[in-house]
Amino acid sequence: METLPVTQSPPDPEPGPDGVRVRLPRLRVERRAMLWWVLRALLQWGLLLAALVVARSLWEPARVWLLAPAIAVAAIVAVKLAVEPWWRYHVHRWEITEQATYAASGWLVREWRVAPTSRIQTVDAVRGPLEQLLGLSTLRVTTASSSGAITVQGLDRRIAEEAATRLAAVAELVEGDAT
Amino acid sequence: MSAATGPGTGSATGAGPGPVPEAAPATPASTDWQRLNPRVVWVDLAQSVLSLAPSLVAIHFVGLEPSLSALWPLALVAVVGVIGAVADMVRWMFTRYRITATDVERRTGVLVRRHRTMRRDRVRSVDTHAKLRHRVTGLRVVTIGAGQQTGAGESALFLDALTKGEAARLRALLLDRRSPAEREAVQSADRTGEAPAPAHAPSEPAADGGPRTDRDAEVFATLRPWWVVHNMFSIWAYLMAAGLLWSLYWFFAMLGIDLLDIATAVADRASLGRAGTVALAVIVVGLIGALAMGVNFLTSYWNFELARVRTGDTSQLRTRRGLFSTREVGRDESRMRGLSIGEPLLWRWMGMSDTNVITTGLSLWNMEQPTAILPRGPIRVAHAVAARVLGSPSPFDAPLAAHPPAALRRRLWWATWVAAVPATAVAVPVASDAAPTWLLWAALALWPVALLGAVIAYRALGHAVVGDHLVVRAGLLSRTTSVLRRDAVSTIAVRQSLLQRRLGLSTVSAKTAAGWGAYEVPDLAAHEAVAFAARAAPGVLDEFVVGAPEPEEPVAGASGQGRGW
């Protein structure tokens, strides 16, 4: 009976069922990132709220119908300004080692991701207009998977660039087509 | 059209008998630019003429009044046919292809000239298909794929069309993954008779020394006619019937017969009342659709065969099928990362299943479903084939770990919320008599259905690590069991929403380059998630796993002074 060509896999770690955890990534993101999240929320939800308020004041017959959406959006804006940045700052962490890239993110839905360096295909440091203003940068590490990118938001521009360069250099050494 | 069947093959290699000089183009392929087969043009022209025939017959012999309304479809078909034939002619005139020692090249286009070059060692698949008109004239459409990512189907290289022999030759040539030097060595050895080559090796002049077409095929499955039962009943049957009836209606309308009138007359005479008529119509149309689906299935899967074919040191899973139009697809096994078997909810009782390979470079969105290695059929067959493809013991037979009851609770919560939305939406209008009361009852009736769905979804959950494979089962409408090679996992992610955090659950997601890109294990017990993730992607988490509870504070400050490396 033929089997698929499988590369050798190391023996199972076979960890005990319980008590196995991952430690947190070592590094936090910049404190300035909180400001970035605030500005981002203002630009997205704040503008929507402003539009609703303006529409309500200008368009008489729609007042009743726009009240509920306006209140809902106002609540979202309040949470996004008061809670999200602070919460994200406490969750977001990252770490890059020789073997892997490891990052934790999210607030209501938290997630951590690990990608081995051998699978990395591209490394980008992305800077949007707001990030440029704050001297921040987002590190984006992609693998061959269409849904496998690891993004680390709110890094200092220099740190992100340096990390991208070094990661790209390390990743290049690894053989194979990284799928 | 002997010119099209690889003229260079004999001459190129025949030129250098005996020891071959290193610098010579070490390939038996022709390096001359070649044209597509000119029969393509005539075939398309003939087809458009033929498609006009019934209408012409109708006009001539039935003596039909050539009114404008009856003629416009006719004119449309004629115009489309002529345009198509002219376009084909132009395409044929301006398309050339060649295969050199290292590349496959094609030039095409009139106004926008395209020159596409594909490296031969990147070629992952050479698929052929033929519509009826191609089969009658002995032509094949060849698609050369380089293992593109999902959605990049544009970058495949089409040759429409070549003769059957030329297509087979191309296929054999391109899928031989040996290096040109090796190929040449085998060739010259064959020629001088030094090689311990098997005496029964056929000496086809068209094929090079490597692959023989069917000798190495290991057949896994062939069509069983009763599979047609699995493919007759689906919601598409109604679409199919609608299409059929619509074209029938138009055809008879051209002859001046109004089918709709006849149908209403028949319905009136039967006098079933409105509900009865509707019910009868639904049943009749459904039956017509189911029959059409059955016929469609049989014609497109006639002669179906799934086989493993070895060429050189590569092996492919090859399917071939079709009665009138044939299709042959080879899937490189070195690109395969696993298998997935889906069982649609409504038909699970009869063991219906869809079997797909998880592989890089084949689009999941393609209508022809190149990833499906079996037609929809019984799950026993799917499991048997899976065992042969993956090797036994098959990971599909492994017992799966159940998920904690909290996962059920999460689903029940969601079901309740989902049912609550329409109920609250209609509650106010019903209370103020703006809507009938039954609407509220209907909305409330959703709740038990949703709860039932939650239980079914919970029972579908399962996961395991079996040998080199990760097994994941989930899904409500289609319970899908996916088996993924563990060394194919390129990123591992563990996710937890607020509700999951309360319930002590986590979702582990194995990301890979193949198939859907991510295969998820929803709602594991949170304390098992890390251990499972570590086993799903061996070695990846080693550095970060600790036996004891995690340290509370991160080591470095925000300014990133102490970088982790």
Side-chain angles (χ1 to χ4, degrees):
Chain A
M1 183 50 58
E2 306 297 335
T3 53
L4 283 173
V6 174
T7 57
Q8 47 89 28
S9 66
D12 279 353
E14 288 298 355
D18 291 355
V20 181
R21 307 211 171 171
V22 284
R23 62 171 173 77
L24 294 174
R26 290 194 194 279
L27 303 175
R28 282 196 162 173
V29 299
E30 300 287 325
R31 276 188 177 278
R32 272 173 291 161
M34 287 203 271
L35 184 56
W36 178 54
W37 286 316
V38 165
L39 289 176
R40 207 176 55 167
L42 275 180
L43 269 184
Q44 292 168 354
W45 291 90
L47 279 182
L48 181 61
L49 179 63
L52 280 173
V53 169
V54 169
R56 243 174 79 73
S57 61
L58 294 183
W59 195 17
E60 199 80 26
R63 264 189 197 176
V64 187
W65 296 104
L66 285 178
L67 183 63
I71 290 176
V73 172
I76 290 173
V77 169
V79 171
K80 287 208 130 225
L81 292 186
V83 183
E84 188 194 352
W86 171 84
W87 199 339
R88 276 191 184 279
Y89 179 70
H90 281 272
V91 173
H92 283 230
R93 284 178 196 193
W94 66 291
E95 179 176 350
I96 294 173
T97 68
E98 293 276 314
Q99 268 78 47
T101 303
Y102 176 26
S105 65
W107 59 304
L108 293 178
V109 179
R110 295 181 180 191
E111 185 178 57
W112 54 262
R113 295 183 170 198
V114 181
T117 306
S118 58
R119 300 306 179 96
I120 290 173
Q121 286 201 325
T122 61
V123 186
D124 300 318
V126 189
R127 306 175 64 207
L130 278 182
E131 286 171 296
Q132 288 181 28
L133 206 66
L134 296 169
L136 291 174
S137 188
T138 296
L139 187 66
R140 183 168 295 144
V141 179
T142 61
T143 62
S145 167
S146 51
S147 62
I150 296 185
T151 42
V152 187
Q153 300 173 332
L155 298 182
D156 185 75
R157 181 172 64 86
R158 283 197 317 277
I159 294 173
E161 266 164 25
E162 196 186 332
T165 317
R166 294 185 63 175
L167 201 47
V170 176
E172 219 166 37
L173 297 176
V174 183
E175 299 271 318
D177 68 348
T179 59
Chain B
M1 294 305 139
S2 62
T5 54
T9 311
S11 58
T13 48
V20 182
E22 284 269 308
T27 171
S30 157
T31 49
D32 301 332
W33 288 98
Q34 295 178 56
R35 283 173 186 269
L36 302 175
N37 195 292
R39 265 180 264 168
V40 180
V41 181
W42 303 115
V43 165
D44 270 22
L45 199 61
Q47 193 204 12
S48 38
V49 169
L50 275 179
S51 60
L52 284 180
S55 324
L56 291 176
V57 167
I59 290 172
H60 252 277
F61 295 96
V62 185
L64 190 70
E65 184 92 0
S67 69
L68 195 65
S69 65
L71 275 186
W72 71 261
L74 199 63
L76 200 69
V77 169
V79 168
V80 168
V82 169
I83 289 178
V86 169
D88 260 352
M89 172 89 91
V90 172
R91 186 170 62 84
W92 176 79
M93 280 167 61
F94 284 87
T95 303
R96 301 273 197 291
Y97 72 96
R98 72 171 176 182
I99 293 161
T100 67
T102 51
D103 297 292
V104 184
E105 292 176 77
R106 187 196 62 180
R107 291 169 189 244
T108 188
V110 186
L111 296 177
V112 182
R113 298 285 290 158
R114 285 172 210 277
H115 182 179
R116 174 167 290 167
T117 307
M118 187 184 278
R119 288 188 40 163
R120 276 179 67 177
D121 54 5
R122 293 287 159 84
V123 171
R124 298 298 174 205
S125 63
V126 179
D127 299 333
T128 58
H129 73 268
K131 301 230 164 82
L132 181 59
R133 59 175 188 272
H134 296 122
R135 293 197 65 191
V136 169
T137 49
L139 293 176
R140 292 290 181 272
V141 180
V142 178
T143 309
I144 303 170
Q148 299 84 8
Q149 277 307 303
T150 307
E154 176 60 14
S155 52
L157 206 150
F158 295 97
L159 297 174
D160 176 8
L162 310 175
T163 58
K164 195 176 171 185
E166 173 70 356
R169 194 186 70 84
L170 265 187
R171 180 188 180 79
L173 185 63
L174 291 175
L175 290 180
D176 191 358
R177 203 69 56 70
R178 288 168 301 181
S179 71
E182 279 177 295
R183 249 195 311 261
E184 196 58 41
V186 171
Q187 274 247 318
S188 53
D190 273 351
R191 189 149 297 128
T192 50
E194 295 164 27
H200 59 273
S203 51
E204 307 155 279
D208 67 7
R212 309 284 178 248
T213 39
D214 254 22
R215 220 182 38 186
D216 306 324
E218 183 187 346
V219 177
F220 287 168
T222 50
L223 182 77
R224 297 277 176 276
W226 69 82
W227 291 353
V228 69
V229 180
H230 292 263
N231 292 274
M232 283 168 71
F233 306 104
S234 96
I235 199 69
W236 298 109
Y238 280 94
L239 201 72
M240 193 118 186
L244 261 180
L245 293 175
W246 190 81
S247 45
L248 208 63
Y249 173 79
W250 273 106
F251 182 73
F252 278 97
M254 273 200 306
L255 301 179
I257 303 168
D258 191 347
L259 283 183
L260 213 56
D261 274 349
I262 300 174
T264 26
V266 170
D268 280 346
R269 190 158 325 148
S271 65
L272 291 164
R274 187 190 282 181
T277 314
V278 168
L280 189 69
V282 166
I283 290 170
V284 168
V285 171
L287 272 180
I288 293 174
L291 269 178
M293 293 279 287
V295 170
N296 184 37
F297 170 77
L298 282 180
T299 52
S300 59
Y301 277 94
W302 195 255
N303 267 337
F304 170 82
E305 178 196 272
L306 168 68
R308 173 177 280 153
V309 186
R310 294 185 186 286
T311 313
D313 56 352
T314 66
S315 70
Q316 292 211 330
L317 283 183
R318 184 192 64 193
T319 53
R320 44 169 54 153
R321 61 184 173 89
L323 181 59
F324 300 123
S325 61
T326 59
R327 180 167 288 268
E328 184 173 328
V329 181
R331 303 161 191 83
D332 189 344
E333 281 201 281
S334 66
R335 297 242 135 194
M336 262 182 58
R337 301 292 183 263
L339 270 181
S340 104
I341 297 181
E343 300 159 79
L345 176 66
L346 288 179
W347 306 105
R348 206 177 292 163
W349 56 270
M350 65 184 280
M352 188 190 275
S353 67
D354 300 309
T355 311
N356 285 279
V357 289
I358 299 172
T359 179
T360 59
L362 286 177
S363 169
L364 286 162
W365 299 104
N366 194 322
M367 278 299 284
E368 295 291 341
Q369 296 186 310
T371 60
I373 54 170
L374 282 177
R376 182 167 269 204
I379 188 131
R380 278 179 299 103
V381 177
H383 279 165
V385 165
R388 300 199 64 182
V389 171
L390 299 172
S392 62
S394 163
F396 284 101
D397 298 332
L400 300 185
H403 288 223
L408 175 60
R409 231 172 299 147
R410 180 173 179 228
R411 274 158 186 70
L412 291 175
W413 271 115
W414 274 110
T416 307
W417 280 112
V418 166
V421 169
T424 46
V426 297
V428 176
V430 168
S432 58
D433 277 343
T437 323
W438 63 262
L439 212 58
L440 184 60
W441 291 118
L444 285 178
L446 271 182
W447 192 33
V449 175
L451 290 183
L452 183 67
V455 174
I456 293 172
Y458 169 70
R459 288 172 56 89
L461 293 179
H463 65 276
V465 171
V466 184
D468 290 319
H469 292 92
L470 167 71
V471 188
V472 171
R473 191 180 65 194
L476 170 62
L477 291 180
S478 173
R479 182 174 72 180
T480 306
T481 315
S482 298
V483 168
L484 185 67
R485 263 164 54 184
R486 289 200 283 166
D487 60 359
V489 177
S490 63
T491 307
I492 198 93
V494 177
R495 195 173 64 227
Q496 204 172 38
S497 71
L498 273 184
L499 180 59
Q500 280 180 309
R501 211 174 161 74
R502 278 194 68 88
L503 293 170
L505 299 169
S506 299
T507 295
V508 176
S509 174
K511 318 223 180 247
T512 177
W516 292 112
Y519 289 85
E520 296 206 330
V521 188
D523 295 340
L524 261 79
H527 61 89
E528 289 171 5
V530 172
F532 179 72
R535 297 183 67 204
V540 172
L541 294 184
D542 284 356
E543 299 177 81
F544 310 113
V545 165
V546 287
E550 61 215 2
E552 283 307 307
E553 275 307 301
V555 186
S559 54
Q561 294 304 317
R563 256 153 279 149
W565 39 334

